[in-house]
Amino acid sequence: MTRDPEPPQPPGPAAPDPATSLPVDPDPWPGLSTGPNTGPDPDRYTVISADCHAGADLPDYRPYLERRHHDAFDAWAASYVNPYEDLVAPEADRNWDSARRLAELEADGIVAEVVFPNTIPPFFPSASLMAPQPSGEEFELRWAGLRAHNRWLADFCAAVPGRRAGVAQVLLGDVGEAVREVRWAREAGLTGGILLPGAPPGSGVPELHSRAYDPLWAVCDELAVPVNHHSGSASPPLGDEPAARAVFMVETTWFSHRALWHLIFGGAFQRHPGLRLVLTEQGSGWIPGVLDMLDYYHGRLVRAATKAATAEAKFGAGLADSMGKGPSEVWRDNCFVGASFMRPHEVPLRERIGLDKIMWGSDYPHDEGTHPYTREGLRIAYAGLPPLEVAAMVGGNAARLYGFDLALLDPLAARCGPTVEEIAEPLEKIPADATSPVFATGGAVRVW
């Protein structure tokens, strides 16, 4: 275990060669041309969840902090009250108990996972996904807390090589520090990339379209590090009244989607063509319509820029040169969706979204996740689809983006993966105690 890092020492295996880990023009379904599983059992799917969550128990973060922060941690931890029931209940150890986690995921048919954060890191008021940007006084300790989580996560992933792609956390208030952490994470074997924090209005950091973040995009491009943007991390504070909570549910995915058009219109992909953006747990049915809208505004503003006498000319000035490709082309070449428990009404849009873009996720161990009914969740969404398409969405695409080795995972799937035959069977009865929205009736494609 990496303890008292002064200076931090990068644990974990050597990083894969960035020149080969993320091809610029990859095969949409790598290794799947002969069937869902090219290993010992071709009749089973190799399922990789592109959306799971984990973190250490609060006291277990202490050894991963630099010693100079130990006294501050002890004082903070002594008075901290965890606001999340699922992190203090008997089930909380699913976040850090490696053996229990493996057993539950395998029983659910899942052989590998992309690991986003979940528990409270040191010096944070809440889970880091939802926490507001730190003030200047808080910044140093918050950074120390995220580094402690990243170092714990590197050990957690190294405990089962090839089966966990950990997502490292960064802050946006110091881009130079973020760049250094990206390099550390790559060397430490955190193959899940980085978690891009939200920059909601009023956050105090530049908007995501700003060129201030170019050093961060550049290092992610250089090292083939995916940039993940998870739902819930970009909404401004709304309060805690019933209306505020309802408004949050209506708006939160829209605020999360903003990263897409900020990076597109900001020209990040033009300047850093190997940059990969993943939008996770934000649904997927909104993507075709939003891309149509972005293409419309792009074309309208670029055309307006050629007509100096029009009122709109100033809005499109320089846009064509700074952006390069249009929004749909950027999506095709640079973006993915962590579609999580893809809902039945989203599935007919899969070709418009991109069959090589969709990565299914269970959201384990969250209540809204599919565990322990992942097979049923896959059936209700994917029954009747061509097996090659299912194989790509439930594992092949994630393997390609995050560097999972299917030669390692296929034999595991031959033991515990769901069969092609069972996933092809339509689900006639929803489990009575299922809590995932994938089983909710009346779903429809959202405006965003």
Side-chain angles (χ1 to χ4, degrees):
M1 180 162 57
T2 307
R3 296 179 180 272
D4 298 328
E6 294 182 352
Q9 298 297 313
D17 181 1
T20 60
S21 61
L22 192 63
V24 173
D25 185 21
D27 177 1
W29 301 306
L32 299 176
S33 58
T34 58
N37 180 329
T38 58
D41 188 346
D43 296 322
R44 290 180 183 267
Y45 290 115
T46 298
V47 180
I48 299 169
S49 172
D51 179 25
C52 287
H53 296 263
D57 195 9
L58 189 59
D60 292 336
Y61 278 127
R62 190 180 191 273
Y64 291 91
L65 288 163
E66 296 178 54
R67 283 190 293 271
R68 63 193 178 97
H69 296 308
H70 282 185
D71 289 345
F73 174 80
D74 293 341
W76 172 78
S79 60
Y80 186 79
V81 178
N82 198 315
Y84 303 105
E85 291 184 6
D86 64 328
L87 295 182
V88 294
E91 293 78 20
D93 68 351
R94 293 182 295 175
N95 286 281
W96 56 79
D97 185 327
S98 184
R100 176 179 181 178
R101 189 180 185 96
L102 281 177
E104 292 192 355
L105 288 174
E106 287 187 4
D108 219 21
I110 297 168
V111 296
E113 57 175 328
V114 179
V115 186
F116 287 88
N118 201 39
T119 62
I120 312 298
F123 311 117
F124 270 70
S126 63
S128 54
L129 269 173
M130 307 290 290
Q133 289 288 332
S135 65
E137 295 76 19
E138 298 169 324
F139 190 82
E140 180 183 1
L141 287 180
R142 291 276 197 92
W143 242 126
L146 288 191
R147 284 196 175 102
H149 171 82
N150 292 344
R151 282 142 186 77
W152 173 87
L153 183 61
D155 282 351
F156 189 68
C157 293
V160 284
R163 301 188 64 180
R164 292 175 182 149
V167 179
Q169 298 187 77
V170 298
L171 288 173
L172 297 179
D174 187 325
V175 174
E177 284 296 314
V179 168
R180 283 187 281 276
E181 192 69 4
V182 170
R183 292 192 180 278
W184 175 88
R186 192 71 164 84
E187 293 171 2
L190 290 176
T191 57
I194 64 165
L195 178 62
L196 177 65
S203 67
V205 297
E207 294 279 4
L208 291 177
H209 60 68
S210 170
R211 290 201 178 200
Y213 300 119
D214 266 8
L216 182 58
W217 312 144
V219 72
C220 291
D221 183 354
E222 173 196 346
L223 300 179
V225 170
V227 175
N228 305 276
H229 192 55
H230 197 283
S231 67
S233 62
S235 298
L238 295 169
D240 196 39
E241 297 82 4
R245 294 193 292 272
V247 169
F248 173 85
M249 287 299 295
V250 171
E251 295 181 344
T252 184
T253 52
W254 182 86
F255 277 107
S256 297
H257 301 341
R258 291 175 78 231
L260 176 64
W261 49 83
H262 275 237
L263 268 67
I264 288 177
F265 284 113
F269 301 102
Q270 162 83 337
R271 298 187 297 277
H272 312 286
L275 186 65
R276 295 294 186 265
L277 176 67
V278 187
L279 302 174
T280 297
E281 203 181 332
Q282 304 177 29
S284 60
W286 58 275
I287 292 168
V290 165
L291 289 177
D292 287 345
M293 177 194 70
L294 297 180
D295 284 339
Y296 164 76
Y297 277 107
H298 172 257
R300 171 178 165 181
L301 293 174
V302 168
R303 287 191 299 272
T306 66
K307 302 173 182 177
T310 66
E312 284 193 354
K314 61 183 177 182
F315 291 99
L319 193 63
D321 291 336
S322 65
M323 278 184 60
K325 296 177 293 189
S328 286
E329 293 176 282
V330 171
W331 176 265
R332 179 196 66 202
D333 294 341
N334 299 89
C335 301
F336 293 78
V337 57
S340 298
F341 30 80
M342 199 173 185
R343 296 161 179 82
H345 62 272
E346 297 172 308
V347 175
L349 297 170
R350 64 193 182 280
E351 291 186 354
R352 292 183 63 195
I353 297 166
L355 280 164
D356 58 333
K357 302 297 181 184
I358 298 167
M359 300 181 293
W360 177 90
S362 72
D363 201 27
Y364 176 93
H366 289 170
D367 288 344
E368 65 268 27
T370 57
H371 178 267
Y373 299 114
T374 284
R375 288 174 174 82
E376 289 82 358
L378 293 174
R379 288 172 60 192
I380 201 170
Y382 297 141
L385 298 189
L388 283 178
E389 294 186 8
V390 178
M393 293 187 286
V394 304
N397 295 333
R400 170 166 51 91
L401 179 66
Y402 293 110
F404 287 103
D405 183 358
L406 290 175
L408 169 70
L409 298 178
D410 284 349
L412 298 170
R415 171 171 53 84
C416 63
T419 67
V420 173
E421 183 179 11
E422 68 179 310
I423 301 306
E425 185 70 23
L427 185 68
E428 295 182 357
K429 184 177 181 181
I430 295 172
D433 57 342
T435 55
S436 174
V438 74
F439 300 112
T441 59
V445 175
R446 296 179 56 164
V447 176
W448 57 75

